[in-house]
Amino acid sequence: MIVVDDQAVVRAGFAAIVDAEPDLTVVGEAGDGATAVSLAAGEADVVLMDIRMPGMDGLTATRLITASAGGPRVLVLTTFDLDEYVYEALHAGASGFLLKDAEPEQLLSAIRVVAAGDGILAPAVTRRLIDAFARSAPPAPPAGGRLDRLTQREREVLLKIASGLTNAEIGAQLGVTTGTVKSHVNALLSKLGLRDRVQATILAYECGLITPGGVPGR
């Protein structure tokens, strides 16, 4: 993976945590977005991306990195006072975000989740962030079009994904196995042309399937 942050001490700290794990390796470090984009053309699977940096910022770098098919996935680092950037980062193609003050175990877990092809949103702030941006966004179009491709059960699963539930929690609520939920998730992502459940959550809000406060929409 690649660690990107304009503070050398912070980069070194994250790199040390990652390199201490037998299944994870830091293959590069960058202090700005342009260097990160250059390094991302290599063999990295995940880029741990800061947002505010001199020169090219993390949002632009994320957009450029994720624009290339088969490129590494981006896990954005944020703090509570940088909430306004998170929604933009997800739209730029990030596979999720993590708070900078996360525990080492949370950081490592998030990296593994993203490397495995899924998306992750920091649980402590997910609902608040998406609700805030949903309130400031223009009125959502009717939840039709792309969503019409889904079966009723896939639509239910999408709604629960957008509510922040895990596959196990969704299975418990719907009375099905976690494996069945995973199959539904994979099917709806494929039908909607989405990369992961992070993009699915954004789409659910934008289409009005779920409204601020976690209330089902149209």
Side-chain angles (χ1 to χ4, degrees):
M1 70 169 293
I2 298 169
V3 178
V4 186
D5 195 291
D6 64 334
Q7 298 182 47
V9 173
V10 174
R11 290 201 308 273
F14 284 131
I17 292 172
V18 172
D19 274 334
E21 298 298 300
D23 60 326
L24 299 175
T25 303
V26 174
V27 297
E29 297 182 28
D32 60 82
T35 303
V37 171
S38 177
L39 291 175
E43 299 300 317
D45 296 316
V46 177
V47 177
L48 190 62
M49 181 75 74
D50 189 21
I51 295 179
R52 283 186 172 178
M53 294 181 291
M56 182 186 293
D57 63 19
L59 293 175
T60 302
T62 295
R63 191 172 292 109
L64 292 173
I65 290 171
T66 59
S68 301
R73 298 164 68 82
V74 178
L75 176 61
V76 171
L77 293 168
T78 186
T79 57
F80 277 105
D81 61 335
L82 292 182
D83 285 353
E84 68 269 22
Y85 293 106
V86 175
Y87 199 67
E88 294 179 52
L90 296 179
H91 268 291
S95 291
F97 68 88
L98 191 70
L99 296 180
K100 275 194 171 183
D101 62 356
E103 295 294 328
E105 294 76 14
Q106 294 175 311
L107 170 66
L108 296 170
S109 175
I111 292 171
R112 292 185 175 104
V113 167
V114 170
D118 205 348
I120 187 166
L121 299 172
V125 294
T126 299
R127 186 72 55 80
R128 182 168 69 86
L129 282 173
I130 296 182
D131 285 355
F133 283 97
R135 290 191 184 95
S136 63
R146 295 173 70 183
L147 297 186
D148 288 341
R149 307 170 192 173
L150 304 181
T151 65
Q152 183 58 39
R153 179 47 60 93
E154 289 166 354
R155 195 180 176 102
E156 290 178 44
V157 172
L158 175 58
L159 177 61
K160 294 186 182 300
I161 288 174
S163 298
L165 300 184
T166 65
N167 286 354
E169 291 169 337
I170 295 172
Q173 288 195 9
L174 298 181
V176 298
T177 66
T178 301
T180 297
V181 174
K182 187 174 182 179
S183 295
H184 288 312
V185 172
N186 290 337
L188 71 87
L189 292 179
S190 177
K191 289 181 179 181
L192 297 174
L194 303 175
R195 184 182 60 245
D196 52 43
R197 61 200 302 136
V198 172
Q199 289 191 331
T201 298
I202 293 174
L203 179 66
Y205 271 84
E206 291 181 335
C207 289
L209 183 63
I210 191 167
T211 60
V215 179
R218 291 177 287 277

